[in-house]
């Protein structure tokens, strides 16, 4: 389980950051109104290199040193209060969203953006699951594949319904005391913990109110966000054999947020920057309700 968490964090972070970097560079260029074959081909080649390179790196760093097996599935749906599944949902959503945006920049039709761009996240993450399935130490996860499909469906569904993303998936993180108790699993430093310590992660559905009534005077940039998190987790599951006791519980949040892409600015640099970092939930006053029966108010929740 420790190695599987590390491997998943690595694969998601590597491809996600690489594609974000490519998207950031291309956002400075005006998108083509008609199909630009040179741009389209550049996108296809770049994505193929990034995806292929990521998978080769994974094989060298993780799979190569572990015993292979016949393809098999595992059921890890009960672990980590499903926080890892929500992470898969978000990653599939954003990698697909970026896949759409770079094809849009190349002038590719909306239909083909949805077919080939929006599904990129699901395709890549599913290939990783297949590699898991041939590893004796791990195994392909039904829940992960379903979460990948859900993230892609959430992206495509909004495009088909509204021709835009009125509800975006966002992420926030704060450090917890649990990582110090199991640093090998939950992370030894801030960056590792941001990827691996589910206790400090919160995933959000950030809803842009103005987009549902564009004739209103409601601020375009102000969102209402609904969050999900979990706490008290040192292990994926609570078992008598665990050396440390744990008391895991779920958390549900209601908060305000900003849609940075709707902030008016003439600066191309700021527009590009806002587009790239918009997946981060802005710290705001937040109401928490958890499964311990507690209601908490955070003046500023990260």
């Amino acid at each position: 389980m420790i190695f599987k968490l590390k491997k998943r964090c690595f694969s998601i972070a590597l491809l996600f950051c690489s594609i974000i970097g490519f998207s950031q560079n291309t956002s400075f260029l005006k998108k083509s109104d008609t199909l630009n074959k040179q741009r389209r081909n550049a996108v296809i080649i770049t994505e193929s290199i990034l995806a292929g390179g990521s998978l080769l790196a994974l094989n060298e760093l993780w799979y190569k040193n572990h015993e292979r097996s016949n393809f098999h599935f595992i059921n890890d749906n009960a672990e980590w209060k499903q926080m890892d599944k929500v992470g898969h949902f978000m990653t599939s959503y954003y990698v697909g969203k970026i896949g759409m945006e770079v094809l849009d920049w190349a002038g590719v039709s909306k239909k083909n953006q949805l077919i080939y761009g929006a599904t990129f996240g699901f395709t890549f993450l599913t290939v990783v699951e297949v590699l898991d399935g041939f590893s004796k130490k791990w195994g392909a996860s039904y829940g992960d594949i379903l979460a990948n499909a859900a993230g892609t469906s959430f992206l495509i569904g909004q495009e088909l319904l509204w021709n835009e993303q009125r509800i975006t998936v966002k992420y926030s993180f704060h450090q917890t005391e649990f990582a110090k108790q199991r640093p090998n699993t939950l992370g030894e430093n801030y960056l590792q913990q941001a990827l691996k310590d589910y206790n400090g992660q919160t995933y959000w559905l950030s809803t842009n109110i103005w987009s549902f009534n564009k004739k209103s005077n409601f601020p375009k940039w102000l969102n209402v966000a609904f969050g999900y998190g979990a706490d008290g987790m040192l292990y994926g599951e609570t078992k008598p054999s665990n050396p440390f006791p744990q008391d895991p519980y779920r958390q549900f949040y209601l908060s305000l947020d900003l849609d940075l892409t709707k902030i008016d600015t003439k600066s191309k640099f700021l527009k590009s920057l806002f587009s790239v970092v918009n997946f981060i939930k802005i710290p705001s006053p937040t109401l928490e309700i958890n499964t311990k029966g507690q209601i908490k108010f955070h003046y500023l929740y990260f």
Side-chain angles (χ1 to χ4, degrees):
M1 177 54 65
I2 292 175
F3 290 105
K4 190 167 186 180
L5 285 170
K6 286 182 177 180
K7 181 269 306 173
R8 285 178 179 172
C9 292
F10 173 83
S11 63
I12 290 170
L14 181 61
L15 184 66
F16 191 46
C17 292
S18 298
I19 296 177
I20 283 179
F22 180 75
S23 176
Q24 181 178 5
N25 290 331
T26 58
S27 66
F28 287 99
L29 302 175
K30 183 179 179 181
K31 73 175 185 178
S32 178
D33 294 329
T34 58
L35 177 61
N36 185 315
K37 293 184 178 180
Q38 288 184 332
R39 289 186 177 185
R40 181 200 61 188
N41 293 341
V43 168
I44 294 172
I45 292 171
T46 302
E47 288 185 344
S48 299
I49 291 173
L50 290 174
S54 299
L55 293 172
L56 286 173
L58 277 174
N59 184 66
E60 290 298 314
L61 292 173
W62 305 111
Y63 298 108
K64 187 177 180 179
N65 298 321
H66 297 280
E67 186 177 354
R68 308 284 183 170
S69 70
N70 293 328
F71 183 82
H72 63 287
F73 281 97
I74 61 170
N75 184 354
D76 61 352
N77 294 333
E79 298 183 4
W80 302 109
K81 296 294 184 184
Q82 296 77 50
M83 286 293 291
D84 58 327
K85 304 299 180 272
V86 184
H88 274 264
F89 176 93
M90 177 177 179
T91 305
S92 180
Y93 171 87
Y94 267 107
V95 175
K97 186 173 183 292
I98 294 168
M100 283 188 61
E101 289 175 350
V102 292
L103 288 179
D104 184 47
W105 166 75
V108 175
S109 67
K110 190 59 172 284
K111 177 181 177 181
N112 286 334
Q113 289 177 38
L114 293 175
I115 294 174
Y116 302 109
T119 58
F120 185 49
F122 174 78
T123 301
F124 175 79
L125 293 174
T126 300
V127 172
V128 175
E129 287 300 323
V130 172
L131 294 177
D132 278 347
F134 284 105
S135 175
K136 186 175 182 180
K137 190 175 183 67
W138 303 303
S141 166
Y142 293 105
D144 289 353
I145 295 174
L146 288 175
N148 298 338
T152 297
S153 299
F154 189 67
L155 172 67
I156 294 176
Q158 290 191 78
E159 291 295 328
L160 293 176
L161 186 60
W162 300 312
N163 201 35
E164 63 180 350
Q165 298 296 301
R166 297 183 179 181
I167 306 172
T168 55
V169 188
K170 293 200 175 188
Y171 167 89
S172 65
F173 174 75
H174 60 271
Q175 288 183 294
T176 74
E177 73 276 9
F178 299 103
K180 296 179 181 179
Q181 300 179 59
R182 296 198 71 203
N184 289 337
T185 297
L186 303 180
E188 298 178 355
N189 54 52
Y190 186 90
L191 180 58
Q192 290 182 4
Q193 292 165 15
L195 292 170
K196 297 165 64 175
D197 185 2
Y198 294 123
N199 299 283
Q201 298 176 9
T202 307
Y203 294 94
W204 305 83
L205 292 180
S206 185
T207 304
N208 185 256
I209 305 300
W210 173 84
S211 65
F212 288 93
N213 183 10
K214 296 181 179 180
K215 294 182 180 180
S216 71
N217 293 322
F218 197 86
K220 293 182 180 181
W221 42 265
L222 184 60
N223 284 15
V224 174
F226 305 90
Y228 173 68
D231 206 351
M233 300 179 295
L234 286 167
Y235 304 87
E237 294 181 281
T238 300
K239 298 179 179 178
S241 59
N242 291 342
F244 300 103
Q246 63 176 9
D247 184 22
Y249 61 97
R250 304 178 192 274
Q251 300 159 308
F252 304 93
Y253 300 96
L254 176 64
S255 182
L256 297 176
D257 187 32
L258 302 181
D259 186 340
L260 299 177
T261 64
K262 289 185 169 56
I263 295 177
D264 290 330
T265 176
K266 295 182 180 180
S267 170
K268 292 183 178 180
F269 172 77
L270 287 178
K271 286 182 179 180
S272 178
L273 178 64
F274 289 161
S275 177
V276 171
V277 302
N278 199 47
F279 74 95
I280 299 174
K281 164 72 169 62
I282 302 299
S284 304
T286 300
L287 180 68
E288 172 192 341
I289 301 176
N290 60 51
T291 52
K292 284 188 170 183
Q294 299 171 326
I295 299 177
K296 299 180 180 180
F297 180 77
H298 305 270
Y299 290 102
L300 199 62
Y301 182 83
F302 289 83

